[in-house]
Amino acid sequence: MPEPLIGLTTYLEPVARWGVWELPAALLPLGYPRLVQDCGALAALLPPDAPERAAAAVARLDGLLVAGGADVDPGLYGAERDVRTGPAATERDAWETALLRAALESGIPVLGICRGMQLLNVVLGGTLVQHVDGHAGPPGTAGVLGEHTVRPVPGTRYASIAPEECAVPTYHHQAVDRPAPGLVVSAHAADGTVEAVEVPGDPWVLGVQWHPEMGTDQRVMRALVAACTARTAGNRPPAPTPAPAAAAAPAHATAHARGALR
C-alpha cells in the first residue's frame, strides 16, 4: 500500500538566511517533516496560498498537520488584542483556516500542534486565553523548550493513544479557553490547562498543545499516519475478484496455442 501523503503548513517569514542569501521564505523546522517520514508517511509542505485554493490542495492529501507558530489573531474569536499577544500572521491565519475547513469537510485526518490546535478550536467556534505563564522554557531563557506532564482524559482518542500521564516538550503562552462545540477536551496539564482536544468518532481530528516533533514519543504521529492509511485503504475501490481458474486444456491444444504466440 502506498505511503500516505500528509500536508504540513509552514511559517511565512519576511527574511531567512542561507548561504549568502537573505530573502523572504516559507519554512518549517525540520522536526515536523522528519517525524512524519519516520512514522511511515510522505511529507508535503503547504506554504500560505490563496484560501480559495485550499480545497484543491486538501483533495490531493491523505492527512493534514497544522504546525505551531505565531499567535492566532484574537479578532478571529471576537477578542481584543492583549498587549502580550504577538504580531498577526494574517496570511497564515487565512490559509490554515481554509485548509482546516476543507479537511474537516472532506474527512481526512487532521492533527493540530500548538498553534494548530488553537486555530482548530477557533475555526470550530472556540476561544483562546491570550497569555498563560509557566508553559514556555525555563525562566529567563528564549528558544528553550520546557517540559511538563499531561494527563489524558479516560475514554478519549488521545487516552487510547497514550493512556498514562507523560512528560511532553512544551513552548507556548496561549491556550484553549472555551472549547468549541463538538470538540472534546482529552488531556490537561497539572494546572488545568487544556493540552489536547479532539472530535469524537469520525473524522479523525486531534489537537495537542505540546510539540511531539521536538520529543521522542512518536505515538501521536503514528496514530495520525495509521488513521490516514486506514482511510486511504477504505476509499480504494475493492480489488477485482480473480476469475475462476480455467479447466486444463488438452495437451495438443496447449501446444497449438504456444505455437500461435511465437
Side-chain angles (χ1 to χ4, degrees):
M1 181 177 296
E3 295 171 307
L5 179 65
I6 298 178
L8 292 77
T9 64
T10 75
Y11 292 66
L12 189 63
E13 296 297 322
V15 177
R17 182 172 183 175
W18 61 97
V20 298
W21 303 101
E22 289 189 359
L23 294 168
L27 48 80
L28 189 66
L30 185 59
Y32 288 99
R34 280 284 166 84
L35 181 58
V36 169
Q37 294 162 346
D38 288 347
C39 291
L42 300 173
L45 301 190
L46 301 171
D49 203 336
E52 57 268 23
R53 303 181 74 180
V58 165
R60 291 166 167 80
L61 302 174
D62 299 309
L64 174 68
L65 187 157
V66 182
D71 293 340
V72 176
D73 184 352
L76 295 178
Y77 50 95
E80 295 292 329
R81 178 176 292 275
D82 187 288
V83 294
R84 294 164 294 187
T85 295
T90 305
E91 288 183 79
R92 275 198 73 178
D93 284 346
W95 172 238
E96 292 174 5
T97 293
L99 286 174
L100 280 168
R101 287 176 174 159
L104 293 168
E105 177 69 23
S106 71
I108 67 168
V110 173
L111 175 63
I113 292 178
C114 198
R115 163 192 162 88
M117 171 181 130
Q118 296 165 9
L119 185 61
L120 171 66
N121 186 56
V122 169
V123 166
L124 291 176
T127 63
L128 304 179
V129 177
Q130 291 190 54
H131 184 78
V132 293
D133 292 316
H135 286 253
T141 65
V144 178
L145 270 73
E147 182 180 273
H148 64 238
T149 299
V150 298
R151 181 182 302 115
V153 175
T156 60
R157 172 177 286 122
Y158 175 68
S160 72
I161 297 167
E164 80 288 357
E165 292 186 20
C166 58
V168 297
T170 183
Y171 197 95
H172 67 97
H173 83 112
Q174 297 197 334
V176 168
D177 180 15
R178 186 185 72 245
L183 278 183
V184 170
V185 175
S186 49
H188 294 93
D191 64 2
T193 299
V194 173
E195 289 286 333
V197 295
E198 61 188 60
V199 173
D202 291 323
W204 194 101
V205 178
L206 176 67
V208 297
Q209 185 57 72
W210 64 92
H211 285 272
E213 83 284 359
M214 297 295 286
T216 58
D217 188 341
Q218 297 183 339
R219 287 180 291 179
V220 166
M221 181 57 67
R222 289 194 178 278
L224 172 67
V225 173
C228 294
T229 301
R231 182 180 182 277
T232 301
N235 284 343
R236 293 182 186 281
T241 303
H252 69 275
T254 304
H256 177 78
R258 285 175 181 162
L261 291 173
R262 290 192 181 117

